[in-house]
Amino acid sequence: MIPFSVKENLKADGPLFIFLSLKTNEIQHMLRLLLLLASALLLTTSGHSQKRAKTSSADIYHSIQKLNFLGSALYVAAHPDDENTRLISYLSNHVKARTAYLSMTRGDGGQNLIGPELRELLGVLRTQELLAARGVDGGQQFFTRANDFGYSKHPNETLEIWNKEAVLEDVVRIIRQFKPDVIVNRFDHRSLGTTHGHHTASAMLSVEAFDLVNDPKAYIDQLKHLETWQPKRLFFNTSWWFYGSQEKFEAADKSNMMNFDVGTYYPVLGTSNNEIASLASSQHLCQGFGRISTRGSQNEYVELLKGDLPKNKDDLFDGIDTSWSRIEGGKAIGAILNPIEDGFDFKNPSTHLPQLIKAHELLSALPNGHWKGIKIKELETVISATAGLYLEASAAAPYSHAGGTVKIAIEALNRSTTPMTLNAVRINDATAITTPNTLDKNKKVVMEMDLKIPSSTPTTSPYWLNEKGSLGMYEVADKTLIGKPETPRAFNATFNLTMNNYTFQIIKPVVRKFAKPDKGELVQPFEILPEATASFQDKVIIFADGKPKEVSVLVKAHRDDAKGTVQFQYSNGWTVDSETQNFTIAKKGDQQELVFTLTPPAYENEGYIRPLVKIGGKEISKELIEITYDHVPKQSVLLPAEAKVVRLNIQKMGQNIGYIVGAGDDVPTSLEQIGYTVHIIDPQSIGEGSLDKYDAIVTGIRSYNVVPELKFKQRFLLEYVKNGGNLIVQYNTAGRWNKQFEDIAPYPLKLSRDRVTNENSAVSILAKKHSLTTFPNAIETSDFDGWVQERGLYFPNEWDKAFTPVLSMKDKGESPKNGSLLVAPYGEGNYIYTGLSFFRELPAGVPGAYKLFANMLSIGKDNVKNETNIKG
């Protein structure tokens, strides 16, 4: 993994530009390699890819190597994409250690380069991208309850907002569960205030937890189900960046450090460690981490923080027994499994089945313990792969509801010569087929059962979103779920098998198998949904005057013959024509639109509306949001169904707005809410005079970072301004400019990393008489009340005297930042650059943000007559 400062500079356009510039054959090679690696690591992952991975003899051998290593390593950092995939892959695939990444947060506070998901939904997407990354590098994944509330400048602020004690409790819990021998921190716990506060806080928590996990007085409630544990060593994954330069790092005392070459090549897998790491990192697509694979020798350094320094500085596990002798009775198991590894039959792995079965029998007879539970699952997976066993329980539909019924197709196939019997198949101890079936070589057995969904079955949704949390923490009622990357699936099929007169079980999740003509066979999780859900089309509805609006409620059925009512709930001061309407939907998956007429109060007001679905004696207040991307499984998220309604006294000038989409924001929808007609502009279509029809042009966030065509079109944008147009450029990221973007503005303008992260930081108006603060809406400091997550980011810190700074703001203890909103006349028009986070504020329905944006769009139109004018 590259140093963070470099990594962060690459987050947006760096890797994305590299990926976009790849030749077709390079992209195809990258995708082929990814599929091969998914296959190679199938036996050690949960198989999150929708495409089926295939298992080869080399994959089985690689898994047996891991089976024979009894040691664990935990890597700790703050966010998705913070992890060092090179080191995680090295530990998992070279050392063969059971390796996991603990991310304090799910990355909810980041941006999204590939879609509109932000906040909680972005956290769901980034969780799945992390699981996809672990599916490539062979690691496991953990999280705490900490909520990524956005950029933090100091760990003290971070730990206060997070609730330090609660997050520390989670870290201790996860260490006690995973029982790592070695812990490696991504960041330096001693670097207070020099980097993202979340980063430093993650290291501080890890250091403190190291001394608590073995304390029987610490978090006593955990010890009802867990045991104390003492990791052997704690390291900091250091590099030259933390020292300021390569020269300083070379001169540093390294007596307390270890280093090893993580560029190793794996002949069995047909790839190198760095190639695996690159592909793992490339799963973070919403953060622009798609990148070219790297190869060759590369050193990683770790500095010992706690514990003893290994005598062998090439081995993090030196002095730790990682053999089968580590567990009582394990020596006999090792005597069986180690010779299989030494003399593995790549041509016919099934010859090892008798020995594998014997090892399983011995392991099953041992007393219950930490390593027994882990290794018996690994061994069952190896046995299944060695026998060429294909076991599947596939639902006839992608989802059902509590109380419903779904057909389950059972498929069992033995592709080895070893005699085998399928004794029974049971789903959650409720539905079973108990007629034995002989599994002859390559003779498929197909059965079918009706699965009755118990009425008490919970719905499928990310568990950390089930309860209302706080700014810094998610609320999780069931503490046994803390640490898990996702909600455990509701239904699993247990296949009871006899092989060589020995009976054992293999558990498979119930899935939905289907095919698409353009993608082939796909597999997705089987889910439990409410009988019906309802949602508003818009999450924020702006009333720019006192006139009523029709508000559509979309009711979606998740069962056949869905009948019920929707009660329209609303805040004081608002009125609705009809509080309750009926719905009838014949087929599940279909929708019905119900239209309510909502009248706002005569005065400025903010409120909420909610649709309450009543069906079958149940009340459902959640809406279903589906997240679908090719690189992660489809996600069904149930969130409170509501929309914010805002009565504004707002004025605007102009009508037609051209919008160049950047890295994913919902600003166009927000502008339509206040009456603008927004036209999405294809950058390739921009040419001489093509922009003249627009009253203003807006570029989306990070447009110049992620839209390569703009380097050819910038002259037309500036020409549009010169001829009388208004151009509003929303924030781009500093340090990511290519030289061709030096002319982003008509006058010199230098971006920085300046930001104001406290959404409540005081704002003062510098240009009190400028039209941006007076026309057509008077902007007051009170218009900055109620902002969310931050004020803004990546402000310019140097600009030409032609620019007028409009606002000044600062975080506590810092100097004022005056570059959040700059405006300059150019020719007959106006150029505006803003780092204010409108992409967060407008979708959140912040009134002052709407007024200020309307002023930006209206600049220069003070004397224009007969324009559209909306007045409250």
Side-chain angles (χ1 to χ4, degrees):
M1 178 63 71
I2 50 184
F4 177 72
S5 64
V6 181
K7 174 175 76 72
E8 189 177 37
N9 283 336
L10 292 174
K11 267 189 179 178
D13 61 311
L16 187 61
F17 274 136
I18 291 172
F19 184 78
L20 290 172
S21 66
L22 289 175
K23 297 177 182 178
T24 302
N25 64 330
E26 292 173 322
I27 294 175
Q28 290 173 341
H29 172 73
M30 183 176 179
L31 294 176
R32 281 196 299 269
L33 185 54
L34 179 57
L35 288 174
L36 286 171
L37 283 172
S39 170
L41 297 164
L42 173 68
L43 300 183
T44 57
T45 70
S46 56
H48 268 74
S49 174
Q50 285 191 313
K51 288 283 187 183
R52 282 195 192 280
K54 309 302 179 185
T55 308
S56 70
S57 294
D59 305 329
I60 297 170
Y61 175 70
H62 189 59
S63 295
I64 291 173
Q65 288 180 305
K66 291 187 175 185
L67 183 63
N68 284 330
F69 189 94
L70 281 72
S72 301
L74 181 67
Y75 198 86
V76 180
H79 310 107
D81 77 35
D82 280 346
E83 80 273 27
N84 184 337
T85 54
R86 285 198 294 266
L87 190 51
I88 289 175
S89 178
Y90 179 84
L91 290 169
S92 176
N93 298 300
H94 177 77
V95 178
K96 308 298 187 301
R98 177 172 165 261
T99 307
Y101 172 43
L102 168 56
S103 177
M104 296 291 159
T105 76
R106 297 175 185 268
D108 325 72
Q111 286 87 52
N112 186 354
L113 290 175
I114 63 174
E117 293 86 6
L118 292 174
R119 292 302 309 147
E120 294 90 348
L121 296 178
L122 180 60
V124 174
L125 173 57
R126 296 188 74 181
T127 292
Q128 291 301 315
E129 288 187 336
L130 263 182
L131 287 171
R134 298 295 77 76
V136 173
D137 60 34
Q140 299 180 42
Q141 186 61 53
F142 295 106
F143 295 95
T144 73
R145 290 171 290 171
N147 190 344
D148 179 3
F149 56 84
Y151 192 87
S152 177
K153 294 179 177 178
H154 199 281
N156 290 350
E157 177 199 47
T158 298
L159 294 173
E160 181 178 343
I161 295 175
W162 272 358
N163 182 348
K164 175 192 172 182
E165 191 61 29
V167 182
L168 180 60
E169 178 184 357
D170 290 357
V171 176
V172 170
R173 176 186 296 274
I174 291 162
I175 294 174
R176 284 173 171 172
Q177 286 176 342
F178 188 67
K179 294 190 174 179
D181 300 298
V182 175
I183 299 176
V184 182
N185 290 345
R186 179 68 184 95
F187 299 106
D188 188 354
H189 67 290
R190 300 157 295 195
S191 60
L192 281 69
T194 62
T195 182
H196 197 322
H198 295 182
H199 294 161
T200 309
S202 72
M204 293 167 64
L205 290 166
S206 177
V207 170
E208 190 168 349
F210 186 90
D211 294 326
L212 289 174
V213 291
N214 201 34
D215 183 353
K217 296 180 181 179
Y219 308 110
I220 296 174
D221 286 349
Q222 294 180 4
L223 300 179
K224 295 175 183 177
H225 308 286
L226 300 172
E227 299 174 331
T228 57
W229 177 251
Q230 185 55 63
K232 187 76 169 177
R233 298 167 184 129
L234 174 65
F235 294 96
F236 161 44
N237 185 194
T238 190
S239 71
W240 66 264
W241 182 79
F242 292 97
Y243 285 76
S245 69
Q246 290 278 10
E247 293 75 19
K248 290 182 180 179
F249 184 59
E250 289 174 4
D253 178 10
K254 297 184 178 63
S255 59
N256 209 34
M257 292 186 193
M258 299 174 64
N259 75 288
F260 24 83
D261 183 356
V262 297
T264 184
Y265 177 71
Y266 306 123
V268 169
L269 300 180
T271 189
S272 68
N273 190 72
N274 284 346
E275 288 174 291
I276 294 175
S278 297
L279 288 170
S281 179
S282 291
Q283 301 310 301
H284 298 294
L285 294 183
C286 74
Q287 303 304 296
F289 258 53
R291 59 190 177 99
I292 291 175
S293 298
T294 59
R295 298 155 197 83
S297 179
Q298 185 163 10
N299 274 341
E300 282 289 343
Y301 289 84
V302 292
E303 174 192 352
L304 182 71
L305 300 177
K306 288 178 177 289
D308 64 307
L309 187 68
K311 294 178 181 179
N312 179 1
K313 288 196 173 185
D314 293 326
D315 182 6
L316 284 174
F317 288 86
D318 181 45
I320 301 172
D321 185 1
T322 59
S323 72
W324 278 101
S325 297
R326 182 168 191 169
I327 59 177
E328 184 179 354
K331 187 175 181 180
I333 299 169
I336 296 172
L337 295 178
N338 288 319
I340 294 177
E341 178 181 343
D342 295 337
F344 187 74
D345 187 342
F346 284 88
K347 290 185 177 180
N348 186 14
S350 65
T351 60
H352 301 297
L353 278 172
Q355 291 84 8
L356 292 170
I357 290 294
K358 181 62 177 176
H360 189 283
E361 186 176 1
L362 291 175
L363 184 56
S364 298
L366 296 181
N368 290 333
H370 175 69
W371 281 109
K372 175 185 175 179
I374 293 166
K375 291 302 177 180
I376 206 162
K377 290 179 181 178
E378 291 181 13
L379 185 52
E380 286 168 354
T381 304
V382 169
I383 290 171
S384 179
T386 303
L389 262 178
Y390 183 88
L391 303 172
E392 180 182 76
S394 177
Y399 58 86
S400 186
H401 63 278
T405 301
V406 64
K407 287 193 177 296
I408 304 293
I410 302 297
E411 183 177 340
L413 178 63
N414 170 23
R415 288 172 282 197
S416 74
T417 58
T418 301
M420 203 176 305
T421 301
L422 175 62
N423 303 308
V425 181
R426 188 178 298 274
I427 298 179
N428 286 32
D429 297 324
T431 302
I433 296 175
T434 57
T435 303
N437 285 270
T438 300
L439 299 181
D440 294 324
K441 182 182 178 182
N442 220 28
K443 300 294 184 182
K444 182 168 60 176
V445 172
V446 177
M447 299 174 285
E448 193 175 80
M449 66 172 73
D450 289 325
L451 174 62
K452 176 68 175 177
I453 311 296
S455 58
S456 59
T457 305
T459 53
T460 302
S461 190
Y463 69 85
W464 62 95
L465 299 179
N466 287 339
E467 308 290 336
K468 183 175 177 60
S470 64
L471 173 65
M473 293 293 294
Y474 283 118
E475 183 68 29
V476 179
D478 183 355
K479 289 196 173 183
T480 64
L481 293 174
I482 293 173
K484 295 183 184 296
E486 57 184 348
T487 305
R489 291 294 156 185
F491 294 98
N492 293 282
T494 300
F495 293 81
N496 184 286
L497 298 147
T498 297
M499 187 188 306
N500 284 1
N501 297 316
Y502 178 71
T503 299
F504 63 101
Q505 296 179 340
I506 292 180
I507 300 174
K508 297 280 188 177
V510 175
V511 297
R512 162 65 172 166
K513 179 175 66 177
F514 63 105
K516 288 187 176 182
D518 59 334
K519 297 183 186 297
E521 183 183 81
L522 298 172
V523 178
Q524 69 182 46
F526 172 68
E527 300 181 325
I528 305 301
L529 300 178
E531 295 180 49
T533 53
S535 63
F536 295 107
Q537 184 173 356
D538 297 312
K539 302 308 175 193
V540 173
I541 305 173
I542 304 296
F543 290 75
D545 54 33
K547 296 178 182 178
K549 279 188 178 184
E550 290 188 341
V551 177
S552 293
V553 175
L554 295 177
V555 183
K556 187 170 185 178
H558 308 299
R559 57 163 292 176
D560 291 338
D561 192 25
K563 297 178 181 179
T565 62
V566 171
Q567 179 183 340
F568 194 99
Q569 300 178 327
Y570 51 94
S571 300
N572 291 335
W574 300 73
T575 59
V576 67
D577 62 336
S578 173
E579 290 191 3
T580 303
Q581 293 189 36
N582 298 325
F583 66 87
T584 300
I585 305 174
K587 295 293 184 182
K588 73 175 182 179
D590 287 348
Q591 294 186 143
Q592 183 177 340
E593 181 181 18
L594 305 180
V595 179
F596 296 82
T597 300
L598 183 65
T599 301
Y603 48 87
E604 289 198 337
N605 181 274
E606 297 178 50
Y608 286 89
I609 54 176
R610 299 176 178 89
L612 181 64
V613 176
K614 298 181 179 182
I615 180 173
K618 300 176 183 177
E619 292 187 349
I620 302 165
S621 59
K622 298 290 183 72
E623 68 170 309
L624 173 66
I625 303 170
E626 296 178 330
I627 301 176
T628 54
Y629 293 97
D630 285 344
H631 67 301
V632 296
K634 175 183 175 183
Q635 297 297 297
S636 297
V637 185
L638 294 169
L639 292 178
E642 64 181 17
K644 186 176 182 179
V645 287
V646 182
R647 167 69 170 96
L648 277 180
N649 290 321
I650 189 172
Q651 301 178 2
K652 77 173 185 63
M653 300 294 288
Q655 183 62 36
N656 293 299
I657 307 300
Y659 200 95
I660 300 172
V661 176
D665 62 67
D666 206 23
V667 169
T669 301
S670 300
L671 298 182
E672 290 172 343
Q673 285 276 3
I674 55 174
Y676 283 107
T677 302
V678 181
H679 307 265
I680 302 299
I681 298 175
D682 179 358
Q684 295 185 2
S685 70
I686 297 174
E688 193 75 39
S690 67
L691 305 176
D692 294 345
K693 56 190 173 185
Y694 300 116
D695 295 304
I697 302 294
V698 182
T699 66
I701 60 173
R702 293 185 175 182
S703 293
Y704 289 90
N705 296 139
V706 302
V707 183
E709 292 87 352
L710 284 182
K711 66 183 178 182
F712 307 112
K713 306 298 182 177
Q714 180 68 2
R715 64 187 182 94
F716 297 116
L717 290 170
L718 295 181
E719 181 181 298
Y720 162 79
V721 178
K722 193 173 185 178
N723 292 337
N726 293 328
L727 175 62
I728 301 169
V729 177
Q730 296 185 84
Y731 96 92
N732 289 269
T733 48
R736 301 172 189 173
W737 302 104
N738 288 340
K739 289 186 177 181
Q740 58 264 35
F741 291 138
E742 289 178 350
D743 297 328
I744 184 177
Y747 310 108
L749 181 73
K750 182 180 179 180
L751 297 187
S752 73
R753 304 183 68 82
D754 288 351
R755 60 172 80 200
V756 176
T757 61
N758 187 338
E759 63 271 27
N760 298 311
S761 290
V763 176
S764 59
I765 299 173
L766 299 177
K768 295 182 178 180
K769 295 183 179 181
H770 197 282
S771 63
L772 281 188
T773 60
T774 60
F775 178 82
N777 304 287
I779 302 299
E780 308 290 343
T781 54
S782 59
D783 287 307
F784 294 91
D785 294 342
W787 282 50
V788 298
Q789 185 160 326
E790 62 198 355
R791 291 296 189 196
L793 61 171
Y794 294 103
F795 298 161
N797 63 352
E798 295 180 20
W799 52 83
D800 189 85
K801 62 181 180 181
F803 284 102
T804 297
V806 178
L807 305 171
S808 180
M809 57 190 69
K810 66 173 183 174
D811 281 326
K812 184 178 179 179
E814 296 191 351
S815 61
K817 305 295 185 288
N818 297 340
S820 65
L821 180 58
L822 302 174
V823 57
Y826 181 62
E828 300 295 320
N830 295 277
Y831 176 95
I832 297 173
Y833 187 92
T834 179
L836 294 170
S837 59
F838 287 107
F839 72 102
R840 296 194 191 280
E841 313 312 323
L842 298 182
V846 178
Y850 275 92
K851 292 180 181 179
L852 183 55
F853 212 102
N855 283 12
M856 293 193 300
L857 294 171
S858 303
I859 189 171
K861 294 181 170 55
D862 312 47
N863 301 317
V864 177
K865 304 297 183 182
N866 300 319
E867 294 277 6
T868 300
N869 186 20
I870 298 178
K871 296 183 178 180

